[in-house]
Amino acid sequence: TVENVLLRSVNTALDSVLVAGSVAPVFDGFAPLATAFTSTTYVSIVDAISEGVATMQVAGFAPDLVALNPADWLALNVAKGTDGQYLSGSYLAKLSQEVRGLRVVISPSVTAGKALLMDSAHSELAIVDSFSVEIGTDGNDFTKNLATMLGEIRVIPIFRTTGSARLITPKAA
């Protein structure tokens, strides 16, 4: 149980760092490194993502991944057509982790209403040391019946090419 709680906390922190940065001067985060793209035509996030894909393809990239906020992912999956049927397929069917052929990564660190579109061939997450948990005592913790726990993972985020990521914002309604 302790390991699961620590793993969730470490993964939440890692998600935040990967998307938003905050490890200056080492890594700015994929969102700040991404080229801002505001749709001039589409109000819908899915349509704005499609426009972003086309824009990146014109620039010579092949976007294959989109990071979405959980609220936006939910909105996409519960959207219904005029006939009342779910656009994402049968209600009881397994949800696909794709949007228009792009692999979807759910990230609470992506701002709701925006999407982080990436050509993953130009980015990498090198795992230096896998997740580990260490438990020990410090000072007089032993006599106080206390233990210190450390959960950590060591990674190297790599962003190779400017333009290989776009922070998509739909047109204001």
Side-chain angles (χ1 to χ4, degrees):
T1 301
V2 170
E3 183 174 346
N4 286 336
V5 170
L6 288 173
L7 178 59
R8 189 179 63 176
S9 295
V10 167
N11 283 338
T12 300
L14 179 60
D15 176 69
S16 177
V17 167
L18 289 176
V19 173
S22 78
V23 187
V26 180
F27 185 70
D28 291 331
F30 289 121
L33 292 170
T35 304
F37 177 83
T38 302
S39 176
T40 57
T41 309
Y42 302 104
V43 176
S44 160
I45 188 76
V46 174
D47 294 337
I49 290 168
S50 296
E51 184 182 9
V53 166
T55 301
M56 287 181 71
Q57 288 171 334
V58 167
F61 296 103
D64 59 342
L65 180 144
V66 63
L68 293 169
N69 184 283
D72 293 325
W73 181 239
L74 173 65
L76 291 175
N77 282 294
V78 298
K80 295 180 181 176
T82 55
D83 60 356
Q85 298 296 315
Y86 287 100
L87 298 175
S88 60
S90 170
Y91 177 77
L92 297 175
K94 180 180 175 189
L95 288 176
S96 170
Q97 283 294 114
E98 288 190 352
V99 168
R100 306 249 167 114
L102 301 167
R103 184 170 42 116
V104 174
V105 174
I106 308 301
S107 171
S109 299
V110 174
T111 304
K114 297 187 179 215
L116 182 58
L117 182 61
M118 298 182 70
D119 180 343
S120 65
H122 297 267
S123 300
E124 185 178 347
L125 180 63
I127 298 176
V128 178
D129 286 326
S130 61
F131 178 73
S132 65
V133 175
E134 294 181 23
I135 302 173
T137 57
D138 186 35
N140 63 351
D141 285 354
F142 183 76
T143 57
K144 292 181 178 182
N145 201 25
L146 297 174
T148 300
M149 292 180 222
L150 171 68
E152 68 179 355
I153 185 171
R154 294 175 187 243
V155 300
I156 302 172
I158 300 164
F159 184 76
R160 292 186 184 94
T161 313
T162 301
S164 65
R166 305 286 165 105
L167 188 60
I168 308 294
T169 305
K171 178 181 176 181

